[in-house]
Amino acid sequence: MPRLASWIDPRPAGIYLPTADAWIDPSQPVARALVTHGHADHARGGHGSVLATAETLAIMAARYGPQNGQPIAYGESLKVDGIDVSFVPAGHVLGSAQIVLEKDGERVVVSGDYKRRPDPTCAPFQPVPCDVFITEATFGLPVFRHPDTPAEIDRLLAALHANPDRCVLVGAYALGKAQRVIAEVRARGHHAPIYIHGALQRLCDLYRDHGVELGELIAATGVPKAAMAGHIVMAPPSTLNDRWSRRLPDPITAMASGWMRVRQRARQKNVELPLVISDHCDWDELTTTLQEVAPSEVWVTHGREDALVHWCMTRQIKARALELIGREDEDEG
């Protein structure tokens, strides 16, 4: 009996579709790439052609220059050398998609990175029943259970209001996390200006161009220290302890990441206010998703693969780890 999805060839450099000579999220430049979303460990520059959502193509253009891209809308279907291909929302960041592949009566869903929590900056995850579900496992251990996001935002605002002579410096990944934190803060009623590091400006502008409202943002460079007291300052995680942050008014150092659940990581980064806000599923959301899409097989691309594979096997779901190279999760969790 032939194995499921024998027309797909997972390789260390990405998921390869031999009949189409196409790759999904390849780690190196290829002639034809299908890209799930704009994070650099999934979207590389230099491809001959790219099939992705319009938002992902815009993110790639902002990072790598103009792309030979073909935009595909959520729910749109097209045929790529005998494979029916459609993109559905992944709920990860702006433009993120799961890639649905159908051939020979089989359906394979390549989920990319995804989350199940509400996010005002991107379309919500859409479960798609399938024969093979290809999933991440960034937080694929039972210890990872993310708290309520609005409650974490309330902790941030409480620290801000309790320290009017200081600022709260929030480290957040430049694509997706920074814009989400800003939008979540606005949703909790904070409408004061937010100061941002220059490295966030281009992507915040891109989100606004695609209809995501972020309120008043002010470049922090050149602003007098006293003017930023009592305000939120957003910056990439790498700036939290460098020279740039020393010009801020006695900052309360915060970081927004699922990894802030791990106290040692927070201590290592000198984070005073760890905010457990993740753009990935926690353990319960991963396993709930697998129950919803009900695959016969699960392929795990990266993260804590062993625990999720074991969970599948104990429920008579065939599972394996693909061990793709080039996937990163340190700051972007």
Side-chain angles (χ1 to χ4, degrees), residues 128-150:
V128 178
C130 55
D131 299 295
V132 178
F133 188 64
I134 303 179
T135 181
E136 59 148 307
T138 300
F139 293 107
L141 290 173
V143 68
F144 289 114
R145 288 182 165 90
H146 304 325
D148 180 65
T149 301

Side-chain angles (χ1 to χ4, degrees), residues 40-81:
D41 56 338
H42 293 256
R44 316 279 175 150
H47 301 309
S49 67
V50 179
L51 179 65
T53 64
E55 296 88 347
T56 294
L57 289 173
I59 291 165
M60 293 179 70
R63 290 185 151 183
Y64 308 123
Q67 303 294 302
N68 180 20
Q70 178 181 354
I72 181 170
Y74 292 137
E76 181 182 353
S77 182
L78 54 84
K79 194 171 287 288
V80 179
D81 292 330

Side-chain angles (χ1 to χ4, degrees), residues 250-296:
D250 191 17
I252 298 168
T253 302
M255 183 168 171
S257 171
W259 294 112
M260 290 296 98
R261 171 65 77 188
V262 182
R263 291 180 182 178
Q264 178 144 1
R265 290 208 186 199
R267 286 196 297 267
Q268 286 171 346
K269 295 177 181 292
N270 297 315
V271 172
E272 183 178 349
L273 179 63
L275 302 170
V276 185
I277 300 173
S278 179
D279 284 335
H280 299 263
C281 290
D282 66 10
W283 174 257
D284 290 336
E285 291 159 342
L286 285 169
T287 56
T288 296
T289 299
L290 295 183
Q291 291 170 328
E292 282 188 71
V293 302
S296 298

